[in-house]
Amino acid sequence: MVQSTGSSKIRTAVFISGTGSNLKSLIKFSKTSKSPISIEFIFSNNSKAKGLNYAKIYKIKKRVLNFKNKNFSENKLLSILKKKNIEIICLAGFMKILSNNFIKKFKGKILNIHPSLLPKYKGLNTYKRALNNKDQYSGCTVHFVNSKLDSGKIVLQKKVKITKNETETSLAKKILAQEHKIYPKAILKIFNL
Ligand code: GAR
């Protein structure tokens, strides 16, 4: 479990690869008085990630490393995180798999949000798989990251109903709206707030 220390907020990094709507919701949350975290750093493996714009808008330091050489990028990233005294990492649509070495360095300090009701549909194409299986419900999950993909301890989940004419797009939209709510809630939960 992560421990909140004293009055200062927990220095947090958010990793993204794309739109960054969860990043935006986390930044907004971090600015509320009840938030235990402050977002000090945004990282992306993708220089074209739209979400990087939030770094400029909210004056948060950012960095891009392309992960073509994963070992090199992760080592560089680890040294940046150390320099910035980052205590926890929130993965928010970060589409690269972190190595065991990296995860070990932040053991129990990395959270991820995933668009399915884990343990169902680890990995990609979660909406399609839920629809193909004619599931009645799907949803999203915030979980700790461990060495197995999408398998760490679950912090919080939210179910959404799959309706009759549901498409991948409509389901993704519905789930994303819930993601924006449960990521902040999960952070409050892990700090017992
Ligand atoms: C979100 O739906 C998130 O759950 C998913 O990518 C989307 C990112 O949206 N993450 C994964 O699939 C991780 N395996 P965002 O960039 O707008 O936050």
Side-chain angles (χ1 to χ4, degrees), residues 34-154:
K34 67 180 176 188
S35 167
I37 63 162
S38 68
I39 296 172
E40 303 291 340
F41 183 56
I42 297 167
F43 173 73
S44 183
N45 62 299
N46 172 15
S47 62
K48 298 202 169 68
K50 261 178 68 186
L52 285 170
N53 290 327
Y54 295 118
K56 202 166 182 191
I57 296 170
Y58 292 100
K59 298 189 169 55
I60 300 168
K61 292 267 187 308
K62 69 162 192 309
R63 182 72 190 255
V64 175
L65 291 163
N66 64 22
F67 263 62
K68 278 189 181 137
N69 180 333
K70 182 143 114 177
N71 202 28
F72 172 85
S73 293
E74 284 191 342
N75 285 334
K76 180 81 202 160
L77 183 52
L78 281 167
S79 88
I80 297 169
L81 296 171
K82 194 170 180 188
K83 227 192 252 162
K84 293 187 177 299
N85 293 315
I86 295 300
E87 296 163 277
I88 68 164
I89 298 169
C90 294
L91 307 183
F94 184 65
M95 303 311 275
K96 292 283 174 188
I97 297 172
L98 294 165
S99 71
N100 287 346
N101 172 57
F102 187 101
I103 293 166
K104 260 193 239 150
K105 299 258 161 67
F106 275 88
K107 195 164 184 277
K109 307 279 172 72
I110 309 177
L111 289 168
N112 182 40
I113 186 143
H114 184 77
S116 77
L117 293 172
L118 290 172
K120 259 192 159 178
Y121 312 133
K122 296 170 185 175
L124 300 175
N125 303 315
T126 56
Y127 318 113
K128 194 183 204 161
R129 286 148 78 199
L131 292 174
N132 284 348
N133 284 339
K134 310 221 175 317
D135 290 352
Q136 290 196 326
Y137 293 94
S138 185
C140 45
T141 304
V142 177
H143 65 94
F144 284 101
V145 171
N146 67 10
S147 59
K148 280 203 199 132
L149 182 68
D150 298 328
S151 298
K153 186 170 183 268
I154 290 171

